[in-house]
Amino acid sequence: MGRSRYKFYEEHYPYFITSTLLEELPLFSKPNIVQILLDQLTFLQQQRAVNLYAYVIMHNHFHAVVQGQELSKKLRLAKSYTARQILDVLVLDGHSHWLEKLEWNKKSHKIYRTYQVWQEGLHPKRLSSINMVSQKIEYIHANPVNAGFVDMPTDWRYSSAKNYEGIGGLIPVTLFSG
């Protein structure tokens, strides 16, 4: 399937995005690596005018509902930045096994780099109705429950579910009130 299917066409709509780590490595099982992504999501909101309506970070991927101008460019740069930061942590912490996997499994056309952290793309899905946005936010928050990690969405630390319950999450989000 070609890359053209997954694009941000109409920027005034919110988008559901998914990004997966290469080979589905469980790098986000390490809190210091999760913090890199949380910091970048906060930066996108505060410095790049991206609305983050919901997110969940699982062990090997994350989902989010985002909205803003030039999302493709902003998110591509964010993934590039987080990849460099994640690699720095892996090198510093001596995770040679994971580094070997990221080197061995990188795409062959990535000739100017040693490692690849993320699978290509964000697989954006335009959310053209209030109902669609609400469904995706519900899906995001239910992800750790459906995976069997927790009983309640608010029990998962790396999610915006607490924000929606008024408990206060790890990072701010723009609450969607469709």
Side-chain angles (χ1 to χ4, degrees):
M1 190 171 304
R3 291 183 190 178
S4 63
R5 178 173 178 227
Y6 299 112
K7 291 193 184 242
F8 296 92
Y9 288 107
E10 299 174 78
E11 293 183 330
H12 59 277
Y13 285 106
Y15 281 82
F16 172 76
I17 60 169
T18 299
S19 195
T20 304
L21 294 164
L22 191 68
E23 291 300 302
E24 298 187 9
L25 291 177
L27 300 179
F28 293 134
S29 63
K30 306 207 57 67
N32 57 340
I33 292 179
V34 173
Q35 191 61 50
I36 293 167
L37 183 55
L38 290 170
D39 290 345
Q40 190 58 211
L41 291 172
T42 301
F43 177 82
L44 284 168
Q45 292 179 86
Q46 294 175 350
Q47 303 298 319
R48 297 293 182 252
V50 172
N51 287 326
L52 175 67
Y53 294 111
Y55 73 92
V56 66
I57 304 170
M58 302 298 285
H59 290 111
N60 60 9
H61 69 281
F62 79 93
H63 299 292
V65 174
V66 293
Q67 183 178 19
Q69 298 297 308
E70 298 181 330
L71 276 176
S72 181
K73 177 183 177 184
K74 291 174 182 177
L75 295 172
R76 180 178 33 81
L77 292 172
K79 280 179 65 173
S80 177
Y81 177 81
T82 59
R84 285 191 306 274
Q85 296 297 307
I86 289 168
L87 289 170
D88 287 348
V89 167
L90 294 177
V91 169
L92 187 64
D93 291 351
H95 291 291
S96 58
H97 178 69
W98 281 351
L99 287 166
E100 287 171 11
K101 285 185 168 274
L102 294 174
E103 181 178 10
W104 176 258
N105 292 298
K106 76 177 175 115
K107 298 293 181 193
S108 60
H109 67 273
K110 303 221 180 250
I111 57 176
Y112 297 110
R113 61 182 72 157
T114 306
Y115 306 103
Q116 179 181 344
V117 173
W118 295 101
Q119 290 182 13
E120 292 182 342
L122 289 160
H123 307 289
K125 295 182 180 142
R126 186 185 75 189
L127 305 177
S128 57
S129 71
I130 291 170
N131 190 41
M132 287 176 75
V133 175
S134 296
Q135 285 176 342
K136 288 303 183 186
I137 292 172
E138 201 172 298
Y139 171 83
I140 285 171
H141 293 159
N143 209 254
V145 175
N146 294 338
F149 293 132
V150 294
D151 292 327
M152 299 293 297
T154 53
D155 293 338
W156 190 251
R157 181 171 177 77
Y158 304 119
S159 164
S160 57
K162 288 182 182 181
N163 301 74
Y164 278 85
E165 293 299 321
I167 300 169
L170 293 176
I171 63 172
V173 297
T174 302
L175 298 179
F176 182 80
S177 57

